[in-house]
């Protein structure tokens, strides 16, 4: 071991949506990262997957899943209901929604990812939001401890990216800490692949170009790390994959055609890949359930399956009924967006398009099989 180098650094690189099927047929750091594993994701969007990676827990344990859930008693959004009196052509514009989201986030001092998306303002006082705190700091979880709680308690000198910053800035921040030789563990956050795949789909040559850019950047990270550490252990992981959208379903209009009163008979959120319903009388549940049985390209998830997926929540927090679309079927319009996109995730974790990836230059510990195992890998690599 060199007298001028630190002994070891373990670097975990999180690339959002770098799915196993996205990598299929593509070359990406094959020689550098010969150990390659397919990991099963968890059911839900990144708002569920990332907390599971950071804690090793399933959604019902850490209590992070879809962003919005029915809870009029705790809703912080009651003042926003007045915006429902304004023309939707104004308040539903993307720029207007983003501006209002920033104001709300600052007013309530939310430190996590926060976006109002397209929840109608006239109903927004019926909902609460699950990611109010920064997930990437100690104490950031709704329940349970994340890797940063363990790193802090163990006194491990570490680096973590600012998830709000662009990828280039996160790369430069990591390089600066590597040059000091003082950290022994690093988590690099790279989010742009997810947005690209939503826009162009996994078959696009733009994905190959982005992978080539990642490879060049990580080669430079490895070069700098090797100058300051005797051993450099590199792991590249993801949270889910991406399916190509082939069908659109207007689920919202189908439900509204029943003539039921939103907020009195039922409440619903329409995510991109699922409808989540709360019922305020038994007859409403029966009518909506019967309707959903006739909607092609999706199915209602039984309680037993939700239990197996780790998504059976106390008090039906995130929905009394979950109607999930088949992979490649998109709900349009939804409360997450009003326009169709090319790629989407948030489908059943058993579908191949949902599988995540783990690539490394050393054999990963504990034979990881699911994204929850990335947490145990990080603990083992950091000594936390």
């Amino acid at each position: 071991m060199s007298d001028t180098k630190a002994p070891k650094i373990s670097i975990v690189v999180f690339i959002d949506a770098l799915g196993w099927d996205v990598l299929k047929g593509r070359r990406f750091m094959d020689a550098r990262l010969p150990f390659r594993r397919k990991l099963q994701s968890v059911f839900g969007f990144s708002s569920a997957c990332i907390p599971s990676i950071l804690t090793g827990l399933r959604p019902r344990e850490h209590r992070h899943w879809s962003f919005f859930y029915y809870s009029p008693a705790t809703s912080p959004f009651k003042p926003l209901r007045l915006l429902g009196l304004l023309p939707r052509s104004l308040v539903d514009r993307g720029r207007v929604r983003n501006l209002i989201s920033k104001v709300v986030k600052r007013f309530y001092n939310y430190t996590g990812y926060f976006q109002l998306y397209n929840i109608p303002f006239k109903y927004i006082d019926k909902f609460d939001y699950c990611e109010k705190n920064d997930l990437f700091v100690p104490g950031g979880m709704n329940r349970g401890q994340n890797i940063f709680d363990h790193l802090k308690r163990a006194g491990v000198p570490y680096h973590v990216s600012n998830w709000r910053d662009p990828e280039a800035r996160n790369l430069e921040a990591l390089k600066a800490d590597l040059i000091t030789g003082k950290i022994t563990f690093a988590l690099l956050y790279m989010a742009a692949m997810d947005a690209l795949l939503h826009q162009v789909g996994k078959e696009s040559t733009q994905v190959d170009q982005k992978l080539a850019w990642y490879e060049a950047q990580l080669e430079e990270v490895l070069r700098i790390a090797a100058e300051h550490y005797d051993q450099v252990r590199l792991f590249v992981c993801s949270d889910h994959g991406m399916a190509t959208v082939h069908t659109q379903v207007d689920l919202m209009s189908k439900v509204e055609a029943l003539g039921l009163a939103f907020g009195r008979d039922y409440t619903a959120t329409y995510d991109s890949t699922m409808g989540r319903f709360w019922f305020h009388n038994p007859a409403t549940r029966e009518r909506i359930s019967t309707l959903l049985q006739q909607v092609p390209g999706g199915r209602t998830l039984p309680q037993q399956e939700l239990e197996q997926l780790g998504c059976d929540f106390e008090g039906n927090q995130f929905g009394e009924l979950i109607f999930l679309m088949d992979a490649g079927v998109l709900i349009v319009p939804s409360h997450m967006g009003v326009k169709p996109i090319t790629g989407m995730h948030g489908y059943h974790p058993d579908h191949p398009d949902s599988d995540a990836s783990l690539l490394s230059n050393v054999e990963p510990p504990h034979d990881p099989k699911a994204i929850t195992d990335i947490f145990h890998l990080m603990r083992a690599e950091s000594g936390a």
Side-chain angles (χ1 to χ4, degrees):
M1 184 177 73
S2 169
D3 292 335
T4 60
K5 291 185 179 182
K8 185 188 79 168
I9 179 71
S10 294
I11 304 172
V12 175
V13 181
F14 171 81
I15 300 180
D16 197 347
L18 186 67
W20 186 255
D21 209 51
V22 173
L23 287 173
K24 184 186 296 183
R26 291 184 162 107
R27 300 187 64 84
F28 175 64
M29 302 192 76
D30 291 10
R32 282 285 200 179
L33 305 175
F35 300 95
R36 306 169 91 85
R37 304 289 184 92
K38 175 175 66 176
L39 301 182
Q40 186 175 50
S41 190
V42 299
F43 178 36
F45 303 97
S46 294
S47 54
C49 297
I50 292 175
S52 289
I53 288 173
L54 296 178
T55 64
L57 303 175
R58 304 221 285 178
R60 70 161 165 255
E61 298 164 320
H62 55 61
R63 305 290 283 192
H64 292 262
W65 202 44
S66 288
F67 286 129
F68 290 93
Y69 60 94
Y70 177 70
S71 184
T74 64
S75 176
F77 306 126
K78 292 179 176 64
L80 298 182
R81 195 174 188 278
L82 293 174
L83 296 176
L85 301 175
L86 298 175
R88 294 195 64 176
S89 59
L90 171 64
V91 295
D92 285 353
R93 292 178 183 174
R95 290 183 179 179
V96 175
R97 284 268 174 170
N98 288 334
L99 177 60
I100 296 172
S101 297
K102 290 179 181 179
V103 172
V104 172
K105 181 175 182 176
R106 183 173 298 177
F107 180 81
Y108 286 115
N109 195 29
Y110 293 159
T111 56
Y113 175 83
F114 180 76
Q115 176 59 250
L116 288 168
Y117 291 104
N118 290 96
I119 297 285
F121 284 119
K122 63 180 177 179
Y123 301 135
I124 201 163
D125 61 320
K126 303 183 186 307
F127 296 102
D128 207 335
Y129 190 86
C130 83
E131 193 176 313
K132 297 171 183 173
N133 299 318
D134 188 345
L135 303 178
F136 290 80
V137 298
M141 311 310 302
N142 289 338
R143 285 191 185 175
Q145 296 187 329
N146 61 25
I147 183 62
F148 308 106
D149 289 299
H150 293 278
L151 291 167
K152 179 181 179 181
R153 184 166 56 249
V156 175
Y158 69 93
H159 169 94
V160 60
S161 298
N162 186 338
W163 55 269
R164 305 165 188 84
D165 285 344
E167 292 180 334
R169 190 177 302 170
N170 284 339
L171 281 161
E172 292 307 310
L174 172 60
K175 294 173 189 176
D177 272 0
L178 290 173
I179 290 171
T180 69
K182 294 180 179 179
I183 59 171
T184 60
F185 176 79
L187 176 58
L188 174 63
Y189 183 87
M190 308 287 267
M193 177 64 87
D194 181 75
L196 178 65
L197 287 165
H198 280 306
Q199 179 183 0
V200 304
K202 64 183 178 182
E203 290 86 8
S204 172
T205 56
Q206 293 184 50
V207 178
D208 299 278
Q209 295 166 10
K210 186 62 176 176
L211 286 172
W213 184 83
Y214 280 136
E215 183 160 352
Q217 302 307 312
L218 294 181
E219 286 287 355
E220 178 67 5
V221 167
L222 285 169
R223 183 191 68 78
I224 293 173
E227 291 179 353
H228 300 277
Y229 295 86
D230 279 309
Q231 183 183 10
V232 180
R233 299 165 69 89
L234 179 66
F235 303 86
V236 175
C237 66
S238 62
D239 50 350
H240 54 71
M242 189 72 66
T244 301
V245 173
H246 54 73
T247 304
Q248 301 166 30
V249 173
D250 186 352
L251 183 63
M252 198 182 309
S253 292
K254 293 179 184 295
V255 174
E256 289 175 350
L258 293 174
L260 300 169
F262 192 106
R264 187 186 67 199
D265 296 320
Y266 76 102
T267 302
T269 60
Y270 299 92
D271 300 331
S272 302
T273 65
M274 68 180 91
R276 299 182 289 118
F277 299 87
W278 295 263
F279 305 105
H280 309 316
N281 60 69
T284 298
R285 182 184 185 108
E286 183 177 351
R287 290 186 63 186
I288 291 180
S289 297
T290 300
L291 168 71
L292 294 176
Q293 292 173 9
Q294 303 167 18
V295 176
R299 64 186 180 92
T300 297
L301 297 182
Q303 183 65 22
Q304 183 179 6
E305 187 170 2
L306 290 170
E307 292 172 4
Q308 294 170 348
L309 294 170
C311 293
D312 52 320
F313 298 96
E314 295 174 15
N316 296 314
Q317 178 182 353
F318 292 96
E320 296 178 36
L321 184 152
I322 310 298
F323 184 77
L324 175 66
M325 309 312 298
D326 298 337
V329 181
L330 187 71
I331 297 174
V332 181
S334 75
H335 289 160
M336 308 304 286
V338 296
K339 296 180 180 179
I341 54 179
T342 305
M344 195 60 219
H345 55 89
Y347 297 105
H348 200 288
D350 285 348
H351 194 277
D353 281 325
S354 296
D355 289 330
S357 305
L358 176 64
L359 321 174
S360 59
N361 64 351
V362 295
E363 184 71 40
H366 307 312
D367 189 24
K369 292 181 172 62
I371 62 170
T372 48
D373 294 322
I374 298 172
F375 166 79
H376 302 291
L377 181 153
M378 291 191 291
R379 287 201 68 183
E381 287 295 314
S382 64

